[in-house]
Amino acid sequence: MYDRITALHGHRPWGAVLDAGTGRASMRWLLGLETARWTAVTGAESMAAQTRAEIGTRMREQDRLVVGNWADPGLLAGERHDVVLADYLLGAIEGFAPYWQDRLFSRLRPLVGRRLYMIGLEPYVHGVPEDPAGRLVNEIGRLRDACLLLAGEQPYREYPLDWSLRHLEQAGFRVVDAQTVPIGYRERFVHSQLDLCLRSVDKLRDRSLAAPLLAHVADLRTRALAHLAREGALRHGHDYIVVAEPA
């Protein structure tokens, strides 16, 4: 996805870059760019620690790693950055500012000097897909979210491409390009999502509820891995990239 953004950016200078929802993957990409300076924001101290580990000794004097919440109007107030990256930020916001997604693009708009690159994930927990891979991905997502909610935690809330396009335009952006990228989920996805279920179930006080959930997790893991062994991937859904500029 980051390589696609690099290609979309072409020969334009990067200048000052804001990574509005940083992590190890986006930071790894950002460190490879020729930037004048960069600012990276995360809402979690744990993610900041992981990102610092990725940066190592490569942070320059003009670069910044900031822990903050975009619902805070004082965060980066009055600043402007040539390029803003919001990769999977829309879905992740739910864990830090629930039901606040409709304000995100308006919040970022004053910070964007030239371009906003947004990466999103088309939701896969709604409806019941007809294809076997889609049903497995849907079932994994539903079980993960159910376990998180039972443990008192907040699942991500992803939004579809058409929702993002509408809200970008309402926030004062002009959409330059929008692309979808098909997804083939592999073992890493299966294990990471179902291991998250296990950690959530461990927090349940009602162990009579925990036991069937653990059995369900084990059964779903077996079925998903069997599909991967036959087909090589769980091919379902897509990510999307949106290029937007201030209108």
Side-chain angles (χ1 to χ4, degrees):
M1 299 297 282
Y2 301 117
D3 289 342
R4 283 177 177 258
I5 291 177
T6 302
L8 287 165
H9 199 68
H11 297 292
R12 299 172 182 85
W14 290 96
V17 177
L18 168 61
D19 183 355
T22 197
R24 300 195 71 162
S26 62
M27 180 53 67
R28 191 176 306 122
W29 171 76
L30 181 56
L31 290 170
L33 303 179
E34 293 184 5
T35 61
R37 59 180 173 86
W38 54 256
T39 298
V41 176
T42 178
E45 287 285 358
S46 58
M47 184 57 68
Q50 294 179 34
T51 306
R52 288 190 191 96
E54 184 66 39
I55 297 169
T57 60
R58 290 174 288 178
M59 181 180 285
R60 301 164 299 186
E61 183 178 354
Q62 65 269 34
D63 301 329
R64 293 182 297 169
L65 177 59
V66 179
V67 178
N69 192 317
W70 286 113
D72 173 11
L75 179 63
L76 306 192
E79 295 190 14
R80 180 158 295 190
H81 305 258
D82 297 301
V83 175
V84 175
L85 171 69
D87 64 319
Y88 305 108
L89 177 61
L90 185 62
I93 282 286
E94 185 72 9
F96 304 93
Y99 306 107
W100 195 81
Q101 286 88 344
D102 62 316
R103 302 183 183 183
L104 177 61
F105 299 138
S106 295
R107 178 67 176 84
L108 294 178
R109 171 62 183 81
L111 302 172
V112 181
R114 296 179 183 173
R115 274 199 163 183
L116 169 71
Y117 291 104
M118 180 210 169
I119 301 176
L121 172 64
E122 195 75 18
Y124 55 75
V125 295
H126 300 293
V128 180
E130 296 182 0
D131 60 297
R135 287 197 297 271
L136 284 168
V137 172
N138 177 270
E139 191 174 350
I140 289 170
R142 286 175 177 269
L143 180 59
R144 174 203 62 210
D145 290 356
C147 291
L148 286 167
L149 289 169
L150 287 169
E153 300 177 18
Q154 194 73 32
Y156 281 11
R157 185 190 299 269
E158 303 292 349
Y159 286 79
L161 174 59
D162 60 351
W163 188 98
S164 296
L165 295 177
R166 289 197 310 272
H167 283 77
L168 281 165
E169 291 175 349
Q170 291 171 11
F173 286 99
R174 178 177 64 90
V175 174
V176 176
D177 195 4
Q179 303 180 2
T180 59
V181 183
I183 302 174
Y185 295 103
R186 302 185 187 276
E187 286 191 12
R188 179 181 176 184
F189 168 80
V190 173
H191 290 308
S192 65
Q193 301 306 294
L194 294 180
D195 288 349
L196 185 56
C197 291
L198 296 181
R199 292 194 293 272
S200 298
V201 171
D202 283 345
K203 299 177 183 179
L204 298 181
R205 294 184 179 181
D206 186 348
R207 302 317 296 172
S208 65
L209 176 60
L213 283 172
L214 291 173
H216 190 177
V217 171
D219 173 68
L220 183 51
R221 193 189 303 265
T222 298
R223 289 188 284 121
L225 293 178
H227 184 100
L228 286 173
R230 293 191 306 269
E231 306 294 336
L234 292 164
R235 296 180 179 86
H236 177 73
H238 59 264
D239 294 306
Y240 57 86
I241 298 174
V242 179
V243 185
E245 297 176 349

